[in-house]
């Protein structure tokens, strides 16, 4: 504890300094195949990027918000507005990162906007020191477990093909999206064909408590967990559902803060939490949440938002923190994109693990030529 406190001295003490150049960019990368969920089907990744430049160092952050409010209420447009009008104006050269976050606490919600800018600043601080993000945060490098999130498919045979491919690739666990009319029969088919794999299902809030009987039918398939079966903003009703199921529940959409996680744990609303750094306000909040969960006996995993290589690298760096004991939604770049804006791409090794990128900051190189290729817009703030 002492050692880590000393390692994090910069958080409180080091002034962020003047940052020469600040830009907000929007990129749109086509997906190899559309990604279907119970709330939306996305055919591309449109992401807001924050680019900072100072004394020859370039740092990047990626906002996980989508252009639409179907997964979360924040969007690329709302995040841009909050970053420009409320977060960046608080950035002063003599403030430390902790000081800046203190000022941002006045801005309610908008965790995705905050995360995008905080992560760009962390990338800058790490690159100024020439160390990878996990080292800046005081964590040792480790290879991380892999997991894949398979979207809703046209038919059960199509789903079985996707699962087969994932198993052959060596993924440590398979998550399948479920929703009304895509549940019991679909899970049953996958389980019958693959009796031994670590399998879980994500409903993205498609059910209500009235469906408890239907959801209980999933108990016989030995899922490692069911993710967010009930409403995107519910914590209490999940506690009633969890009491009726053998299968552990995992919360995603309804956890935005360390206090939300504490409430879910106290209410026994879930036995696992999906931590998306972008959904909880950034890397520092994600690390804190993982610590609370570990102390409460709740395993966590790192979720994903189909990010470009920037967000993907950040999610891998995060998993060096204690508490990330389960495989997350960390899959290979080539599942989503023909080409990416970073190098090298995420790849599984022979045991299905993913290496921690060891370059400075997020650890991978941003290829500005690729950013240009997929650019929708570029706004110079400074
Ligand atoms: O619910 O976890 C989710 C993607 C976009 C929005 C929500 C979710 C997801 C995923 C994919 O499941 C995770 C990934 O592979 O990045
Ligand atoms: Mg989810």
């Amino acid at each position: 504890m002492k050692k880590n406190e000393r390692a994090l001295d910069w958080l409180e003490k080091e002034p962020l300094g003047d940052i020469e150049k600040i830009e907000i960019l929007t990129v749109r990368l086509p997906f190899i195949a559309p990604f279907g969920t119970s709330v939306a089907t996305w055919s591309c990744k449109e992401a807001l990027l924050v680019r900072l430049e100072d004394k020859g160092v370039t740092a990047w952050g990626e906002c996980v918000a989508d252009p639409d409010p179907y997964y979360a209420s924040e969007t690329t447009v709302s995040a841009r507005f909050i970053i420009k009008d409320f977060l960046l104006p608080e950035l002063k050269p003599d403030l430390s990162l902790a000081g800046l976050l203190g000022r941002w606490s006045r801005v309610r919600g908008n965790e995705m906007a905050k995360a995008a800018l905080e992560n760009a600043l962390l990338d800058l601080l790490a690159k100024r020191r020439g160390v990878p993000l996990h080292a800046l945060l005081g964590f040792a490098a480790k290879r991380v477990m892999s997991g894949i999130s398979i979207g809703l498919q046209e038919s059960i045979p199509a789903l079985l093909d996707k699962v087969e491919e994932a198993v052959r690739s060596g993924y440590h666990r398979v998550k399948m999206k479920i929703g009304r009319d895509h549940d019991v029969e679909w899970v049953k088919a996958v389980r019958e064909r693959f009796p031994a794999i670590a399998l879980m299902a994500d409903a993205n809030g498609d059910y209500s408590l009235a469906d408890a009987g239907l959801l209980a039918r999933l108990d016989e398939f030995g899922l490692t967990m069911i993710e967010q079966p009930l409403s995107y903003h519910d914590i209490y009703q999940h506690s009633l559902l969890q009491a009726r199921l053998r299968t552990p529940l995992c919360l995603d959409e309804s956890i935005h803060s360390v206090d939300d996680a504490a409430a879910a744990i106290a209410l026994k609303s879930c036995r696992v939490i999906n931590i998306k750094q972008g959904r909880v306000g950034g890397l520092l909040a994600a690390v804190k949440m993982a610590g609370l969960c570990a102390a409460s006996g709740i395993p966590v995993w790192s979720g994903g938002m189909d990010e470009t290589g920037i967000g993907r690298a950040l999610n891998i760096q995060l998993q060096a923190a204690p508490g990330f004991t389960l495989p997350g939604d960390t899959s290979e770049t080539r599942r989503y994109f023909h080409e990416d804006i970073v190098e090298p791409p995420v790849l599984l090794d022979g045991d299905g693990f993913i290496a921690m990128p060891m370059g400075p900051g997020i650890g991978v190189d941003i290829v500005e030529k690729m950013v240009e290729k997929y650019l929708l817009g570029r706004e110079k703030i400074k």
Side-chain angles (χ1 to χ4, degrees), residues 35 37 39 42 45 64 66 71 147-150 175 177 202-204 227-228 252-253 274 276 279 301 303-307 312 315 329-331 335-336:
F35 185 70
T37 72
V39 288
W42 291 281
K45 177 69 202 182
V64 300
D66 289 311
Y71 165 80
I148 194 167
S149 176
I150 298 176
K175 157 167 146 182
K177 291 289 188 182
D202 185 1
N204 287 106
E227 183 177 347
Q228 199 74 34
D252 171 359
E253 281 93 326
N274 165 349
K276 291 179 180 168
R279 194 194 67 236
W301 49 277
M305 289 290 289
D306 309 332
E307 291 95 338
R312 207 166 285 273
N315 293 343
D329 281 341
T330 316
S331 58
R335 276 209 62 232
Y336 286 104

Side-chain angles (χ1 to χ4, degrees), residues 42-62:
W42 291 281
S43 55
C44 58
K45 177 69 202 182
E46 186 174 318
L48 208 67
L49 306 179
V50 177
R51 183 182 185 278
L52 309 175
E53 200 181 314
D54 189 53
K55 297 173 199 72
V57 175
T58 308
W60 295 82
E62 174 174 347

Side-chain angles (χ1 to χ4, degrees), residues 88-105:
L88 279 173
E90 299 290 349
L91 185 58
K92 302 278 156 43
D94 56 339
L95 269 185
S96 67
L97 184 56
L100 180 66
L101 297 181
R103 294 200 179 203
W104 285 358
S105 63

